[in-house]
């Protein structure tokens, strides 16, 4: 079945990170694009305005659907009783979730879907970096803004392959199906499984089962590339029909660390210095290499491209450095991510003290029944710090946390707990940063701390 030819698209909840990028991608293709949202923040607001597709006012306006667009794309931010959604249903306008629409527009392409609790953004961005370096035509959908790419989504008519970051979170408020079940991959990747999204998957078995379904969706003559070092991944990736499907396991790429630099060891290319570090990233690199090999990239070209790969934004992103201190920011918030990121910085700079600051910001990370999953996650930090905003707990209507509860959950009596962002900032500014690194881990903003100003102040101290 060929993909449908749309001329006019309306997006409900157009202000979302990935949704506004989809709107821009469709506008780039020459389609008529409209949208609505009850809240639109930067940078989405400015980017939509620059393209001339920012809604005239915030809110929901069912009469917009009377123009009868060819399709409506429903964002996860919208509610099931959204008035625009109801009007679209009344008018029998085709309604798609984001992943359903991406699939619809890539029916005639080879679909590569990277799934996993952690590492999927980095693996996706590595593959995209390599393909761009080689001048290959490809489409993509990725959950972060990447250096060298203006958009998080690209949909073209002539690209033979699409690279998709496959999130296990729900696709939309109506169907409530994990996104990565809806892309129908030819090549699938499972980078790791570590229980997350407790508000949707209340127990680890239910969460893991979503990856089992993904693995079983691999078609005949398809490929499943999986992290062979992860026990949970192995449970869902055991070959079912090895004659019909190619199963490829991967681990940490062979390497060494010299003077804070990561050196890859290869059979034919010799030693290759890369800018990323950490065992989790070198495992991600192995996954990207296997994908690239399957889509026709030679090893020499892969390693040549990886020399210039700086990493995805907020994934061990270096905010600044001096002769004696480095400051990194990372999106890590789930327990496995926090542990891997903390370990990566400490092993890369074993002679330096490590101050690791984790913000508890997501529903799972603030949930008292889930927090024990963080046990040991900050153990390699010389100074482990946890920050959370009481206002966030109030907003999410969750039970307040205490310092003693967090120390017990993390199993770390040395844990320092801050609930005031100004007090946290003052502590960091007063600290001695000679021969010490700072790692900031959060999917939030530390209650709007100016990280650029903090970086400059710390490096001058």
């Amino acid at each position: 079945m060929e993909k449908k030819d749309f001329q006019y698209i309306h997006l409900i909840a157009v202000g979302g990170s990935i949704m506004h990028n989809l709107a821009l991608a469709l506008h780039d293709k020459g389609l008529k694009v409209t949208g609505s949202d009850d809240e639109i923040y930067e940078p989405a607001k400015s980017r939509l305005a620059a393209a001339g597709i920012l809604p005239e006012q915030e809110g929901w306006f069912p009469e917009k659907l009377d123009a009868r667009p060819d399709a409506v794309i429903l964002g996860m931010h919208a509610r099931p009783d959204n008035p625009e959604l109801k009007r679209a249903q009344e008018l029998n306008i085709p309604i798609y979730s984001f992943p359903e629409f991406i699939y619809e527009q890539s029916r005639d392409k080879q679909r590569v879907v990277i799934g996993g609790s952690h590492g999927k953004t980095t693996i996706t961005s590595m593959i995209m970096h390599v393909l761009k370096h080689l001048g290959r035509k490809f489409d993509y959908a990725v959950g972060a803004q990447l250096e060298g790419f203006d958009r998080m989504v690209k949909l073209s008519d002539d690209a033979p392959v699409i690279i998709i970051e496959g999130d296990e979170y729900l696709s939309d408020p109506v169907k409530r199906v994990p996104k990565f079940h809806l892309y129908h991959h030819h090549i699938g990747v499972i980078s790791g499984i570590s229980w997350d999204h407790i508000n949707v998957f209340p127990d680890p078995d239910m969460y893991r089962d979503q990856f089992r379904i993904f693995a079983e969706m691999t078609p005949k003559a398809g490929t499943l590339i999986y992290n062979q070092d992860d026990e949970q991944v192995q449970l869902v990736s055991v070959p079912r029909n090895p004659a019909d499907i190619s199963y490829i396991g991967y681990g940490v790429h062979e390497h060494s660390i010299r003077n804070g630099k990561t050196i890859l060891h290869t059979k034919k290319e010799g030693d290759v210095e890369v800018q990323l570090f950490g065992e989790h990233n070198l495992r991600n690199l192995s996954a990207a290499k296997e994908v690239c090999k399957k889509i026709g990239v030679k090893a020499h070209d892969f390693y040549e491209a990886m020399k210039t790969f700086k990493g995805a934004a907020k994934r061990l992103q270096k905010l600044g450095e001096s002769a004696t201190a480095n400051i990194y920011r990372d999106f890590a918030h789930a327990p496995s991510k926090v542990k891997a990121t903390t370990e990566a910085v400490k092993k890369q700079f074993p002679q330096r003290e490590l101050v690791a600051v984790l913000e508890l910001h997501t529903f799972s990370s603030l949930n008292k029944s889930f927090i024990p999953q963080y046990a040991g996650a900050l153990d390699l930090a010389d100074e482990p710090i946890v920050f959370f905003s009481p206002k966030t707990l109030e907003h999410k209507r969750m039970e307040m946390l205490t310092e003693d509860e967090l120390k017990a959950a993390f199993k770390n009596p040395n844990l320092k707990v801050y609930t005031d962002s100004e007090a946290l900032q003052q502590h960091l500014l007063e600290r001695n940063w000679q021969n010490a690194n700072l790692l900031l881990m959060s999917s939030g903003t530390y209650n709007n701390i100016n990280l650029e100003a903090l970086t400059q102040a710390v490096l001058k101290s």
Side-chain angles (χ1 to χ4, degrees):
M1 186 181 296
E2 292 185 358
K3 69 177 183 181
K4 295 178 181 177
D5 186 22
F6 300 116
Q7 301 298 321
Y8 172 23
I9 302 288
H10 181 77
L11 294 92
I12 299 176
V14 71
S17 176
I18 195 73
M19 286 288 282
H20 91 268
N21 272 278
L22 176 57
L24 293 169
L26 295 173
H27 180 262
D28 290 345
K29 284 188 70 176
L31 276 67
K32 179 182 177 181
V33 177
T34 58
S36 297
D37 212 324
D38 56 355
E39 294 177 317
I40 303 179
Y41 299 107
E42 296 294 352
K45 197 168 191 175
S46 295
R47 299 181 81 201
L48 291 171
I53 55 175
L54 178 69
E56 291 184 6
Q57 59 185 115
E58 294 181 349
W60 311 113
F61 304 93
E63 61 272 17
K64 287 185 178 182
L65 280 301
D66 293 342
R68 291 185 177 272
D70 299 319
V72 165
I73 304 174
L74 179 64
M76 186 59 202
H77 167 64
R79 295 182 181 276
D81 61 354
N82 182 283
E84 293 190 7
L85 171 60
K86 285 191 169 184
R87 184 59 178 152
Q89 291 168 335
E90 290 169 2
L91 295 172
N92 291 318
I93 297 170
I95 300 167
Y96 298 87
S97 64
F98 174 86
E100 286 174 324
F101 186 81
I102 294 295
Y103 169 66
E104 180 61 45
Q105 292 295 287
S106 60
R107 283 178 177 271
D108 56 354
K109 303 178 188 294
Q110 184 179 32
R111 292 180 297 279
V112 179
V113 180
I114 295 89
S117 306
H118 44 75
K120 55 184 175 288
T121 302
T122 299
I123 295 170
T124 306
S125 59
M126 286 177 176
I127 298 165
M128 289 169 57
H129 178 82
V130 171
L131 295 180
K132 184 179 181 182
H133 178 85
L134 296 175
R136 294 266 296 266
K137 287 183 179 180
F138 66 100
D139 288 346
Y140 55 84
V142 60
Q145 194 66 54
L146 306 180
E147 184 174 335
F149 294 89
D150 295 334
R151 305 276 190 258
M152 292 161 61
V153 178
K154 182 182 179 184
L155 296 171
S156 67
D157 295 327
D158 58 348
V161 62
I162 183 168
I163 312 300
I164 303 170
E165 178 182 349
D167 193 348
E168 71 274 17
Y169 199 68
L170 302 181
S171 61
D172 68 82
V174 178
K175 301 182 185 70
R176 298 180 66 81
V177 176
K179 293 176 186 174
F180 67 167
H181 291 175
L182 299 173
Y183 294 118
H184 302 285
H185 62 277
H186 300 108
I187 299 174
V189 176
I190 302 181
S191 62
I193 300 176
S194 181
W195 184 32
D196 199 0
H197 308 305
I198 188 175
N199 53 322
V200 178
F201 308 112
D203 65 73
D205 291 340
M206 182 184 295
Y207 180 74
R208 185 181 64 219
D209 207 40
Q210 310 313 310
F211 292 91
R212 178 191 58 77
I213 294 169
F214 175 76
E216 292 178 353
M217 292 180 74
T218 306
K220 285 187 177 182
T223 301
L224 184 67
I225 298 169
Y226 64 96
N227 177 0
Q228 64 189 15
D229 297 332
D230 188 312
E231 291 183 7
Q232 296 297 307
V233 173
Q234 288 183 22
L235 287 174
V236 304
S237 303
V238 174
R240 294 174 293 110
N241 302 304
D244 299 333
I245 297 170
S246 176
Y247 293 86
I248 302 172
Y250 67 88
V252 177
H253 197 291
E254 189 178 349
H255 69 286
S256 59
I257 301 171
R258 302 173 192 165
N259 300 318
K261 301 291 184 182
T262 300
I263 312 297
L264 303 180
H265 303 310
T266 74
K267 293 179 180 179
K268 294 184 179 180
E269 306 303 319
D271 288 351
V272 178
E273 183 178 319
V274 292
Q275 300 181 47
L276 53 83
F277 65 90
E279 284 196 358
H280 64 301
N281 275 330
L282 295 169
R283 191 176 281 112
N284 293 335
L285 185 144
S286 291
K289 182 174 180 291
E290 294 297 344
V291 171
C292 286
K293 183 178 179 181
K294 292 296 294 186
I295 58 177
V297 175
K298 295 179 180 178
H300 169 80
D301 293 333
F302 176 82
Y303 288 118
E304 195 63 32
M306 288 309 301
K307 290 178 182 178
T308 57
F309 179 74
K310 296 179 180 178
K314 300 179 185 177
R315 271 74 176 179
L316 274 178
Q317 177 184 355
K318 188 188 293 182
L319 298 182
E321 65 179 322
S322 68
T324 62
N326 287 7
I327 301 177
Y328 296 96
R329 184 181 184 187
D330 198 279
F331 195 67
H333 50 85
S336 59
K337 299 175 185 177
V338 171
K339 184 175 182 179
T341 304
T342 303
E343 181 179 294
V345 179
K346 187 59 181 179
K347 286 188 174 181
Q348 197 75 3
F349 302 95
Q351 303 307 317
R352 291 185 184 180
E353 280 190 287
L354 174 58
V355 180
V357 186
L358 168 65
E359 177 180 14
L360 302 181
H361 179 73
T362 64
F363 183 92
S364 294
S365 69
L366 291 166
N367 189 297
K368 284 192 177 184
S369 62
F370 183 83
I371 290 177
Q373 301 290 321
Y374 286 93
L378 291 173
D379 281 2
L380 286 185
D382 299 285
E383 186 177 347
I385 299 174
V386 163
F387 168 81
F388 71 91
S389 170
K391 288 184 179 179
T392 301
L393 281 167
E394 290 175 15
H395 178 71
K396 295 180 184 289
R397 298 178 181 177
M398 301 179 73
E399 192 177 348
M400 191 55 61
L401 302 169
T402 69
E403 183 171 345
D404 287 343
E405 286 173 334
L406 289 172
K407 286 183 176 181
F410 278 77
K411 292 188 176 179
N412 194 325
N414 298 318
L415 189 72
K416 295 179 180 177
V417 178
Y418 286 86
T419 57
D420 184 312
S421 58
E422 291 185 6
L424 170 62
Q425 188 167 1
Q426 192 61 33
H427 169 73
L428 295 175
L429 292 176
E430 291 174 352
R431 196 188 189 282
N432 182 352
W433 289 100
Q434 295 298 309
N435 205 32
N437 287 336
L438 173 60
L439 171 60
L440 300 164
M441 293 177 284
S442 175
S443 60
T445 64
Y446 296 96
N447 202 19
N448 297 314
I449 286 181
N450 186 326
L451 297 185
E452 185 176 342
L454 175 65
T455 297
Q456 297 304 317
V458 165
L459 294 178
K460 287 179 182 178
S461 64

